[in-house]
Amino acid sequence: MSLSRRKFLKGLATTSAVSVIGPSLLVQAANAATEATTNTADGIWKVSGSHWGAFRARIYNGKVQEIKALEIDKYPTDMLKGIKGIIYSPSRVRYPMVRLDWLKKHKYSGETRGNNRFIRVTWDEALDLFYQELERVQKDYGPWALHAGMTGWRQTGQFHSCTSHMQRAVGMHGNFMTKVGDYSTGAGQTVLPYVLGSTEVYAQATSWPEILSNSKTIVLWANDPFKNTQVGWQAETHGSYEYYEQLKEKVAKGEIKVISIDPVKSKTQNYLNCDQVYVNPQTDVAFMLAIAHTLYKEDLYDKKFLETYALGFDDFLPYVLGKAKDNIEKTPEWAEKICGVKADQTRELARLMAKDRTQIMFGWSIQRQQHGEQPYWMGAVIAAMLGQIGLPGGGVSYSHHYSGVGIPPTGAAGPGGFPRNVDEGQKPKWDNDDFNGYSKTIPVARWLDAILEPGKEIKYNGSKVILPDTKMLVVSGCNPWHHHQDRNRMKKAFQKLQTVVTIEFAWTATCRFSDIVLPACTQFERNDIDLYGAYSASGILAMHKLVDPLYQSKTDFDIFTELAQRFDRQKEYTRGMSEMEWVRMLYADCKKANKANFPMPEFEQFWADGIVEFGPGKPFIQHAGFREDPEINPLGTPSGFIEIFSRKIDRYGYEHCQGHPMWFEKSERSHGGPHSDKFPLWLQSCHPDQRLHSQMCESDEYRATYTVQGREPVYISPEDAKARGIKDGDLVRVFNDRGQLLAGAKVSDNYPIGVIRIHEGAWYGPLNEKIGAIDTYGDPNTVTQDIGSSELAQATSANTVIVEIEKFKGEVPPVTAFGGPIFES
Ligand code: PGD
Ligand code: PGD
Ligand code: 6MO
């Protein structure tokens, strides 16, 4: 196998005239050696992978000098240029650090938390303190007082997946509060199981070849896949871009019509040169109801499909016709006043979708808003009315912009990972599961409420949650001072916490607001193994250590081995195995699982080659089985059918998520919505084109390619800029009643009046720790709103936020976000 594979790679290397799909985004795949580790005159080349792409790195003089895309990645991203800057960032956490005031002055008082004054301690001192704090909290309070349940975009690699290491080790010491759901798809993954029977957001969707040969219309609803498939949850190889290229050709030839329903001209729209339907932000449900109204009134809906595959259309219809609930008929004219889409255009779109094969593809941003459950539910209703669910190139999907979804899947098994939990039969040192009446698990985005309002009872997904009185936080593999909303509210909450421990390699704002910071190394300083292609399971990649851990950093595995040693659980934690023994075992288990269908070489061969490819996948059509026979292949909903009306949700009796999808006004909204007279601009905090959240923001040189006067860009329409006397390149202040931030104006025709954008993940750099202090770099979460989507999902509502913007006047403060802590000794 390996010989033929090598030949194949050599062939690629000599004919590497790969297609390039946009000079600003993609760099040409590199000619490179074909072995995982190759010695050349100017250094050693090693194979590895990352969220940003699989690559080869040249190491010379003990330093990573160069990164080139791996040959299998034909559409590498520009972000590969930022990787070196992560390793050698001036913002690296170099040593174990402890907050000065916490250590020396008033321990457990958070008054000055965030002042960034730290002192260096030894590893032993830091780990002793960490251990003592775990002991104290379990002894004085109980498991409810410890929150170690947060997760996030840990770097790639199945063995070193760092949150698993933290949770296994801390879990061997004692129990802790944990979370359900995530920030990405909280509202969607909660409502869709009631409607379509699975989360859908983390499900395989119809393969692109099927779509390209069957769809006549593709509706990208709040979806920018060309931007967002640049990064993946596992080692990314950008297989989807081949299909985007084909789609672009078909759009140019008029064979497929693509419509982007988005207030902004997205990167995908610009790339495909496709149509756009502009919709006022946060108003899509009104628009969708009007589409449903047209489909019904013009008899364009599929009655037979509804009868055979769906339940509850009759319960929903009176609402559309104005005969129930608010008694307003959801005509296109009614919707126009809310969503800004002309009534005739709504009718045209409805007719177009009903005319021929139509695939609706949702992005996720639209459900990270107040009542974010509604657009997804309503999207499923429209798709059911169109009657194409289960057909190739028809129906609705919620994941086509994510991690290899849509690339024909091979069905091969990927390697397993390091266990997150304690092993069966093992007990934690503090074997106490008494949560004192508090809930053990809370909806992910409500952890700050728990600190601020302990004991509060909230409604959640048909049950009640009692928020635990959090005293201590342990953070690894996520960055809450990026991912959570409303920084000033966070500051208030963090003043109440007793102890915050963060394990990190980058001195993020989360480190700044911690008490103990332990320096982890990056993924480039350890050996690992990963699946590549994610949902397509295209193959397995070796992740070779490029350089030894820098400064005093250690792998998370080593850090938690040493912590576990302090309560005599070292052996249980490691199972007596080293890093490479684990990597070998994960490979061996995977080889065994794939034995019948995907023969894999011995480990040594794999490690030397750097890659195992599983070959091309097979086409997949979402919900085809259900369409073929809904009795034999029912959906996972209570009835087994598509639930346009959910009795279960209806019975919960919630105000903002009732028995069928509905339009609800938002707490704040631009374009004539609530409070828009005071703050007229909608701030969207979409996912960055040149980062993964906050990761790579620390890559100084790469950051300098997009910043404006050293600040995060805020994109604004020419009209809004002109009205405020703002020019491209100006320093501006973005503000509302919750906070204020500095950013650099980028005036762009892609934005309509009333809409501005700052990409999420811009590092928070407050002028000081005081509540209200200006953020000097441009983190949008300085001004976002921290409320739950509804009683159903309680998910983040990051996109329900309005602001004002002005040219910055006065003395310009320096950017405080980068470069690490203030050393006191
Ligand atoms: P990252 O920046 O990826 O963000 O939030 P998340 O917290 O996942 O943070 C990962 C952190 O883990 C980084 O600081 C990185 O250095 C660290 N890390 C990575 N690998 C390792 C490792 O191996 N060891 C250790 N010790 N540390 C490591 C993402 C979240 O943000 C998500 S998924 C979404 S969808 C949300 N999106 C938005 C949004 O659209 N708008 C706003 N306003 N806010 C959002 N927040 C959410
Ligand atoms: P966004 O870019 O935030 O992406 O994927 P998600 O789909 O959430 O938003 C997509 C589009 O939605 C934008 O064009 C925006 O204008 C539009 N939109 C927002 N609100 C509305 C609305 O109310 N109505 C309509 N019609 N459109 C709206 C995020 C996904 O991306 C996630 S969760 C993660 S964790 C990954 N993160 C990254 C990343 O950080 N960087 C990159 N490059 N890629 C990623 N991919 C993943
Ligand atoms: Mo996400």
mmCIF file of all heavy atoms in Angstrom, residues 49 61 123-124 160 162 188 237 270 340 486 620 658 756:
data_model
loop_
_atom_site.group_PDB
_atom_site.id
_atom_site.type_symbol
_atom_site.label_atom_id
_atom_site.label_comp_id
_atom_site.label_asym_id
_atom_site.label_seq_id
_atom_site.Cartn_x
_atom_site.Cartn_y
_atom_site.Cartn_z
ATOM 1 N N GLY A 49 -0.561 18.374 11.073
ATOM 2 C CA GLY A 49 -1.859 18.886 10.640
ATOM 3 C C GLY A 49 -2.397 19.857 11.665
ATOM 4 O O GLY A 49 -1.916 19.896 12.802
ATOM 5 N N ASN A 61 18.069 24.448 12.622
ATOM 6 C CA ASN A 61 18.603 25.091 13.820
ATOM 7 C C ASN A 61 17.634 25.038 14.990
ATOM 8 O O ASN A 61 17.515 25.982 15.764
ATOM 9 C CB ASN A 61 18.905 26.571 13.537
ATOM 10 C CG ASN A 61 20.396 26.781 13.361
ATOM 11 O OD1 ASN A 61 21.196 25.914 13.740
ATOM 12 N ND2 ASN A 61 20.768 27.922 12.805
ATOM 13 N N TRP A 123 7.272 25.266 38.689
ATOM 14 C CA TRP A 123 6.214 24.314 38.343
ATOM 15 C C TRP A 123 5.651 23.668 39.607
ATOM 16 O O TRP A 123 4.437 23.514 39.753
ATOM 17 C CB TRP A 123 6.746 23.241 37.394
ATOM 18 C CG TRP A 123 6.445 23.530 35.958
ATOM 19 C CD1 TRP A 123 7.336 23.874 34.982
ATOM 20 C CD2 TRP A 123 5.152 23.511 35.330
ATOM 21 N NE1 TRP A 123 6.678 24.073 33.788
ATOM 22 C CE2 TRP A 123 5.329 23.843 33.969
ATOM 23 C CE3 TRP A 123 3.859 23.241 35.777
ATOM 24 C CZ2 TRP A 123 4.277 23.921 33.061
ATOM 25 C CZ3 TRP A 123 2.801 23.308 34.870
ATOM 26 C CH2 TRP A 123 3.015 23.648 33.533
ATOM 27 N N ASP A 124 6.539 23.296 40.517
ATOM 28 C CA ASP A 124 6.069 22.628 41.730
ATOM 29 C C ASP A 124 5.160 23.538 42.545
ATOM 30 O O ASP A 124 4.118 23.119 43.046
ATOM 31 C CB ASP A 124 7.264 22.162 42.576
ATOM 32 C CG ASP A 124 7.707 20.765 42.158
ATOM 33 O OD1 ASP A 124 6.913 20.088 41.468
ATOM 34 O OD2 ASP A 124 8.844 20.365 42.495
ATOM 35 N N HIS A 160 -3.683 14.356 22.368
ATOM 36 C CA HIS A 160 -3.421 15.486 23.261
ATOM 37 C C HIS A 160 -4.626 16.402 23.466
ATOM 38 O O HIS A 160 -4.493 17.432 24.108
ATOM 39 C CB HIS A 160 -2.239 16.296 22.731
ATOM 40 C CG HIS A 160 -0.912 15.649 23.008
ATOM 41 N ND1 HIS A 160 -0.384 15.554 24.277
ATOM 42 C CD2 HIS A 160 -0.026 15.054 22.188
ATOM 43 C CE1 HIS A 160 0.786 14.940 24.225
ATOM 44 N NE2 HIS A 160 1.034 14.615 22.969
ATOM 45 N N CYS A 162 -6.737 18.629 24.684
ATOM 46 C CA CYS A 162 -6.332 19.053 26.034
ATOM 47 C C CYS A 162 -7.453 19.095 27.057
ATOM 48 O O CYS A 162 -7.218 18.831 28.238
ATOM 49 C CB CYS A 162 -5.619 20.402 25.960
ATOM 50 S SG CYS A 162 -6.692 21.743 25.438
ATOM 51 N N GLY A 188 -29.857 25.581 17.684
ATOM 52 C CA GLY A 188 -30.180 24.632 16.616
ATOM 53 C C GLY A 188 -30.160 23.193 17.099
ATOM 54 O O GLY A 188 -31.091 22.424 16.827
ATOM 55 N N THR A 237 -8.197 19.421 5.235
ATOM 56 C CA THR A 237 -7.553 19.283 3.931
ATOM 57 C C THR A 237 -8.374 19.916 2.800
ATOM 58 O O THR A 237 -8.074 19.736 1.628
ATOM 59 C CB THR A 237 -7.246 17.799 3.617
ATOM 60 O OG1 THR A 237 -8.371 17.015 3.995
ATOM 61 C CG2 THR A 237 -6.034 17.314 4.383
ATOM 62 N N ASN A 270 -19.429 36.640 -3.223
ATOM 63 C CA ASN A 270 -18.458 37.305 -4.090
ATOM 64 C C ASN A 270 -17.686 36.292 -4.934
ATOM 65 O O ASN A 270 -17.397 36.533 -6.093
ATOM 66 C CB ASN A 270 -17.502 38.164 -3.262
ATOM 67 C CG ASN A 270 -18.181 39.459 -2.825
ATOM 68 O OD1 ASN A 270 -18.913 40.079 -3.592
ATOM 69 N ND2 ASN A 270 -17.963 39.866 -1.587
ATOM 70 N N GLY A 340 -37.738 43.871 5.321
ATOM 71 C CA GLY A 340 -37.183 44.747 4.284
ATOM 72 C C GLY A 340 -37.167 44.125 2.895
ATOM 73 O O GLY A 340 -36.726 44.772 1.943
ATOM 74 N N ASP A 486 -20.588 39.969 26.657
ATOM 75 C CA ASP A 486 -20.703 41.081 27.624
ATOM 76 C C ASP A 486 -19.559 41.127 28.652
ATOM 77 O O ASP A 486 -19.708 40.711 29.806
ATOM 78 C CB ASP A 486 -22.068 41.008 28.338
ATOM 79 C CG ASP A 486 -22.392 42.303 29.069
ATOM 80 O OD1 ASP A 486 -21.481 43.151 29.251
ATOM 81 O OD2 ASP A 486 -23.555 42.466 29.484
ATOM 82 N N PHE A 620 -23.860 10.341 -0.560
ATOM 83 C CA PHE A 620 -24.795 10.237 0.554
ATOM 84 C C PHE A 620 -25.949 11.202 0.320
ATOM 85 O O PHE A 620 -25.737 12.335 -0.115
ATOM 86 C CB PHE A 620 -24.072 10.590 1.860
ATOM 87 C CG PHE A 620 -24.969 10.662 3.058
ATOM 88 C CD1 PHE A 620 -25.336 9.505 3.743
ATOM 89 C CD2 PHE A 620 -25.467 11.882 3.510
ATOM 90 C CE1 PHE A 620 -26.185 9.568 4.841
ATOM 91 C CE2 PHE A 620 -26.306 11.954 4.609
ATOM 92 C CZ PHE A 620 -26.667 10.795 5.276
ATOM 93 N N GLN A 658 -42.862 28.167 21.242
ATOM 94 C CA GLN A 658 -44.165 27.526 21.415
ATOM 95 C C GLN A 658 -44.284 26.298 20.511
ATOM 96 O O GLN A 658 -43.282 25.813 20.023
ATOM 97 C CB GLN A 658 -45.249 28.566 21.169
ATOM 98 C CG GLN A 658 -45.092 29.771 22.112
ATOM 99 C CD GLN A 658 -46.227 30.776 22.044
ATOM 100 O OE1 GLN A 658 -47.304 30.499 21.546
ATOM 101 N NE2 GLN A 658 -45.975 31.978 22.578
ATOM 102 N N ILE A 756 -22.744 46.600 10.674
ATOM 103 C CA ILE A 756 -21.285 46.598 10.764
ATOM 104 C C ILE A 756 -20.822 45.222 11.250
ATOM 105 O O ILE A 756 -21.604 44.455 11.803
ATOM 106 C CB ILE A 756 -20.728 47.723 11.684
ATOM 107 C CG1 ILE A 756 -21.157 47.520 13.142
ATOM 108 C CG2 ILE A 756 -21.138 49.100 11.186
ATOM 109 C CD1 ILE A 756 -20.457 48.444 14.133
#
